């Protein structure tokens, strides 16, 4: 790009609420999704202090549905075939649009797997191991039965 590199925007800061979506993929299909809203995002806590907090979203809420759809698009466009994922989005403060922040092919950190398990009965680590086992045996994988409830988690004990 040389001297024209200033014409290309790679990223910009979008103030707003930060959300995370934790998923399981098998054969290019999202087979499990948990969506949550950070109450105190990790970046904020690392710069301003405080306690990391997040809460699950109701499965039939407008936010959950929008995140579920956006997450599936991101993962499929990245070409993920199977595994556990942790993807983050920002909902713009001014325009209320959804913006992709980042994704990773791993289980979320900061006690997020505990939140997912408490709210859904799905242990993402265990399910990821089952996916890998199914792949090694050439067998079908089916996610365990869920039992959805709403929860909030803090990263330190009271």
């Amino acid at each position: 790009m040389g001297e024209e590199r200033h014409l290309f925007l790679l990223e910009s800061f979008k103030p707003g609420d930060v959300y995370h979506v934790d998923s399981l993929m098998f054969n290019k299909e999202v087979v499990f999704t948990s969506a949550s809203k950070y109450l105190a995002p990790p970046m904020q806590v690392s710069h301003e202090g405080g306690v990391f907090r997040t809460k699950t979203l109701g499965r039939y809420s407008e936010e959950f549905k929008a995140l579920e759809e956006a997450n599936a698009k991101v993962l499929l466009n990245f070409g993920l075939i199977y595994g556990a994922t942790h993807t983050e989005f920002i909902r713009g403060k001014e325009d209320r649009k959804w913006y992709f922040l980042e994704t990773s092919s791993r289980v979320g950190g900061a006690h997020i797997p505990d939140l997912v398990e408490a709210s859904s009965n799905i242990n993402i680590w265990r399910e990821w191991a089952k996916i890998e086992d199914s792949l090694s045996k050439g067998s079908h994988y089916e996610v365990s039965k869920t039992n959805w409830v709403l929860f909030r988690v803090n990263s330190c004990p009271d």
Side-chain angles (χ1 to χ4, degrees):
M1 291 182 275
E3 293 300 316
E4 294 184 354
R5 66 182 176 269
H6 68 282
L7 299 174
F8 298 89
L9 177 65
L10 297 178
E11 64 180 49
S12 67
F13 175 75
K14 293 287 184 190
D17 295 323
V18 184
Y19 296 77
H20 60 95
V21 181
D22 299 277
S23 301
L24 294 165
M25 299 277 298
F26 188 74
N27 287 338
K28 299 181 184 178
E29 181 184 346
V30 180
V31 295
F32 172 78
T33 301
S34 174
S36 304
K37 179 180 180 180
Y38 288 119
L39 300 174
M43 183 68 82
Q44 177 185 339
V45 172
S46 68
H47 290 281
E48 299 172 19
V51 175
F52 164 78
R53 296 175 294 133
T54 188
K55 70 173 185 172
T56 56
L57 300 175
R59 291 197 48 79
Y60 303 105
S61 69
E62 174 269 326
E63 290 172 312
F64 185 100
K65 291 175 185 177
L67 287 164
E68 184 176 41
E69 181 180 333
N71 180 62
K73 285 180 183 177
V74 165
L75 298 179
L76 293 174
N77 283 307
F78 269 82
L80 189 64
I81 299 170
Y82 62 86
T85 67
H86 177 80
T87 306
E88 295 183 348
F89 295 91
I90 295 176
R91 188 164 200 185
K93 188 175 186 174
E94 293 180 13
D95 62 10
R96 307 303 291 156
K97 290 182 182 178
W98 294 99
Y99 295 93
F100 169 68
L101 182 58
E102 66 180 9
T103 193
S104 55
S105 182
R106 64 167 175 81
V107 174
H111 299 288
I112 289 172
D114 300 325
L115 170 73
V116 171
E117 185 171 15
S119 65
S120 68
N121 199 38
I122 297 296
N123 180 304
I124 292 192
W125 287 108
R126 186 178 300 118
E127 295 299 320
W128 191 4
K130 288 179 184 178
I131 288 171
E132 295 293 338
D133 185 57
S134 294
L135 290 167
S136 72
K137 294 176 179 174
S139 62
H140 180 70
Y141 164 79
E142 194 168 309
V143 70
S144 297
K145 185 178 176 184
T146 60
N147 182 23
W148 290 101
V149 293
L150 292 175
F151 275 97
R152 178 182 295 186
V153 70
N154 294 336
S155 66
C156 67
D158 291 325

